[in-house]
Amino acid sequence: MINDIQKQAEGKMQRSLEVLKENLAKVRTGRAHAGLLDQVEVEYYGSQVPVSQVANVTLIDARTIGVKVYESNMAAAVEKAIRDSNLGLNPAAMGDVIRVPMPMLTEERRKDLIKVVRAEAEDGRVSIRNVRRDANEHIKKLLKDKEVSEDEARRGEEQIQKLTDKFIAEADKLLAVKEEDLMAI
């Protein structure tokens, strides 16, 4: 039973780490990457859809994203959606291709982004700790119901703590890599 709880906790902690990776990837650095436009949505025949569903998003070079719309009448809408996306991007249409140059980050903007990244990492750590708390409560309930011995419960809680430490260390590594990425010019 305790093994099931540990496996469940490990899966949830892994998912928390994946969510943290996704959230950190959304914070833009000075370099271009195609995933930057994943959360930008454009109106397409009355419904909001991600840009990647109405256009091909590629990298032209290290500092420029190229967006080639599938239907030429969508170019203006895609360009407007990118401009209005709060990413600080200024797209320029060139025929049916929209060029999105990545502006240099100012020192002040870098520091603001680091604060955002640290908050995301802390949310990830809190999520991992919540999984630990839930797993420990489950083990204590098993102990209270006399389904496991005190020794088994203690070993189970120790294993859960080891898992927690491992995943929090992973979250800290992700944070360190992202901070280094943000500070690189």
Side-chain angles (χ1 to χ4, degrees):
M1 277 186 193
I2 290 181
N3 285 340
D4 293 340
I5 294 170
Q6 288 172 352
K7 285 180 183 158
Q8 219 174 16
E10 186 172 10
K12 288 179 180 177
M13 287 179 185
Q14 186 64 46
R15 181 64 191 133
S16 295
L17 207 56
E18 293 300 320
V19 168
L20 175 61
K21 283 181 189 174
E22 290 168 14
N23 290 342
L24 290 179
K26 290 178 185 173
V27 177
R28 116 178 140 79
T29 59
R31 288 188 289 284
H33 63 92
L36 188 65
L37 300 179
D38 285 351
Q39 74 260 25
V40 177
E41 293 192 341
V42 62
E43 186 171 334
Y44 184 66
Y45 295 111
S47 60
Q48 294 290 333
V49 296
V51 168
S52 59
Q53 291 185 9
V54 296
N56 186 21
V57 180
T58 59
L59 292 180
I60 295 174
D61 58 47
R63 303 197 48 80
T64 310
I65 299 173
V67 182
K68 182 168 177 31
V69 292
Y70 299 134
E71 299 176 27
S72 57
N73 62 337
M74 288 299 298
V78 170
E79 184 180 356
K80 183 179 182 326
I82 294 170
R83 186 170 284 117
D84 297 343
S85 67
N86 284 341
L87 290 174
L89 301 175
N90 191 15
M94 302 177 94
D96 60 345
V97 175
I98 301 168
R99 293 175 56 90
V100 185
M102 301 298 296
M104 289 295 290
L105 294 175
T106 63
E107 189 67 26
E108 183 179 326
R109 181 69 178 139
R110 288 175 197 273
K111 288 179 180 172
D112 289 343
L113 289 175
I114 284 179
K115 288 178 188 172
V116 169
V117 166
R118 286 182 179 160
E120 289 289 347
E122 185 56 31
D123 289 347
R125 289 190 290 259
V126 166
S127 175
I128 291 168
R129 289 186 201 113
N130 286 342
V131 172
R132 174 189 62 191
R133 181 198 63 218
D134 293 344
N136 285 342
E137 285 175 1
H138 201 92
I139 290 172
K140 286 176 183 162
K141 184 177 183 311
L142 290 176
L143 179 63
K144 182 180 165 206
D145 295 343
K146 300 202 184 319
E147 293 182 34
V148 295
S149 70
E150 286 184 26
D151 287 344
E152 289 174 316
R154 190 179 68 252
R155 276 193 297 272
E157 288 178 355
E158 287 172 1
Q159 291 289 44
I160 296 292
Q161 184 59 47
K162 285 179 184 173
L163 274 177
T164 303
D165 294 343
K166 177 181 128 187
F167 280 100
I168 286 181
E170 281 291 316
D172 290 341
K173 281 184 202 168
L174 290 173
L175 172 64
V177 167
K178 190 64 175 187
E179 281 183 346
E180 189 177 308
D181 220 13
L182 281 170
M183 290 314 287
I185 296 177

